Amino acid sequence: MFTFSFFFDIQILEGALTASRFVGFHLIDLNSALQVMLAHKHIIMNLVIGTSTVLLLWILLGGRTFCSWVCPYHLLAEWAEKIHLYLAKKKLVTDQTMDRRLRTVFWVIFALLAFATGYTVFEAISPTGILSRALIYGPGLALLWVLALLFFEVFFSCRAWCRYACPIGLTYGVVGIISPVRIIYKLDGCFHEGDCRKVCLVPHVLDTVIKGRAVETEVPIGPDCTRCGLCVDTCPTGSLSFEVKGLTKLA
Ligand code: SF4
Ligand code: SF4
């Protein structure tokens, strides 16, 4: 819709993923709004209104649902992961894992950088923003940075940007804490063979399916889950399903 609106100049959805207008309503990504307000050092009412709409939307849809269903970098990182896994199988690369708390450190660093410099530094290097602008307005030199990230993920550390750096993912993860849309795990019937953990892009959220880990018979999967649904499709026993808290099961 972004691309078509721009290309045909029909003004339905103007702008890019970081900030846009949908039939006249302002929509602003939570992290971008925070960066802009920190850089300007005051609360901008238009940003607050645009952000509230987006916040409500992603609370309803599941927080990191943004990552698996909207973020263009997620798709490229998925392909990079497939190449990484192929090379790893051939013993040509090994995955260099890092401490996941790094993501929080980067979140703070980017916030401080915006405050100290008066520039939204993260926006300049965010692959989400770069790719979304490239898809709408055409490619630019910034795509070289995205290529460098993908190169790093293929040859050194699988999904490094999403797992250890991206503040957008962390922000939407926090939103996901109060979202009613979630994946629920039922211990009954689970064989613990781990097919779900092999397909999951954030496998630490499925630690609960490891034999002996679950202390309840029904366990909601944590907010870092991107609600991609791959585990639901893969589970042979139906032990994982989508649920809308307080309402009926979706699958
Ligand atoms: S963590 Fe960041 S880059 Fe990765 S999918 Fe989510 S928003 Fe996109
Ligand atoms: S595979 Fe399942 S647990 Fe992992 S991110 Fe997707 S929906 Fe969440």
Side-chain angles (χ1 to χ4, degrees), residues 183 196 199-203 205-206 221 224-232 242:
I183 300 287
C196 55
V199 295
C200 182
L201 309 173
V202 277
V205 299
L206 286 172
I221 300 304
D224 220 16
C225 162
T226 65
R227 281 78 163 171
C228 67
L230 285 172
C231 59
V232 177
F242 270 107

Side-chain angles (χ1 to χ4, degrees), residues 64 66-68 71 73-74 127-128 161-162 166 168-169:
R64 285 202 75 192
F66 175 86
C67 291
S68 55
C71 178
Y73 186 70
H74 192 276
T128 311
W161 178 261
C162 298
C166 182
I168 304 176

Side-chain angles (χ1 to χ4, degrees), residues 140-159:
L141 274 180
L143 284 177
L144 291 175
W145 164 243
V146 179
L147 273 179
L149 282 177
L150 291 168
F151 182 88
F152 185 78
E153 294 190 1
V154 167
F155 293 103
F156 299 101
S157 185
C158 188
R159 291 202 159 249

Side-chain angles (χ1 to χ4, degrees), residues 24-222:
F25 289 101
H26 287 281
L27 300 170
I28 297 149
D29 170 71
L30 308 180
N31 210 65
S32 308
L34 180 76
Q35 297 269 326
V36 171
M37 285 193 271
L38 282 171
H40 285 81
K41 297 171 191 59
H42 69 92
I43 292 176
I44 303 164
M45 208 29 82
N46 269 349
L47 286 189
V48 174
I49 295 166
T51 307
S52 309
T53 323
V54 170
L55 175 65
L56 186 67
L57 181 75
W58 291 110
I59 287 175
L60 291 175
L61 292 178
R64 285 202 75 192
T65 318
F66 175 86
C67 291
S68 55
W69 296 95
V70 176
C71 178
Y73 186 70
H74 192 276
L75 180 63
L76 296 186
E78 260 180 59
W79 294 339
E81 180 172 10
K82 283 192 197 328
I83 301 172
H84 174 90
L85 291 176
Y86 174 79
L87 295 176
K89 214 167 145 190
K90 302 249 169 223
K91 301 204 184 320
L92 294 170
V93 299
T94 46
D95 185 20
Q96 307 298 316
T97 56
M98 294 174 234
D99 192 323
R100 283 200 319 277
R101 285 173 297 185
L102 255 181
R103 210 170 40 151
T104 312
V105 174
F106 274 114
W107 195 99
V108 175
I109 289 174
F110 286 127
L112 288 175
L113 274 174
F115 188 76
T117 63
Y119 289 101
T120 53
V121 179
F122 170 69
E123 292 308 324
I125 61 159
S126 162
T128 311
I130 292 170
L131 285 168
S132 124
R133 287 189 290 277
L135 284 167
I136 301 163
Y137 307 118
L141 274 180
L143 284 177
L144 291 175
W145 164 243
V146 179
L147 273 179
L149 282 177
L150 291 168
F151 182 88
F152 185 78
E153 294 190 1
V154 167
F155 293 103
F156 299 101
S157 185
C158 188
R159 291 202 159 249
W161 178 261
C162 298
R163 285 182 182 163
Y164 313 118
C166 182
I168 304 176
L170 182 62
T171 305
Y172 282 115
V174 174
V175 172
I177 293 172
I178 52 170
S179 172
V181 178
R182 59 189 186 172
I183 300 287
I184 196 106
Y185 167 63
K186 280 199 196 153
L187 183 58
D188 287 350
C190 174
F191 294 153
H192 308 287
E193 82 297 342
D195 286 355
C196 55
R197 300 182 79 242
K198 286 181 204 143
V199 295
C200 182
L201 309 173
V202 277
H204 63 276
V205 299
L206 286 172
D207 281 355
T208 191
V209 310
I210 298 169
K211 199 167 187 175
R213 292 283 179 94
V215 285
E216 309 266 334
T217 52
E218 283 200 9
V219 185
I221 300 304

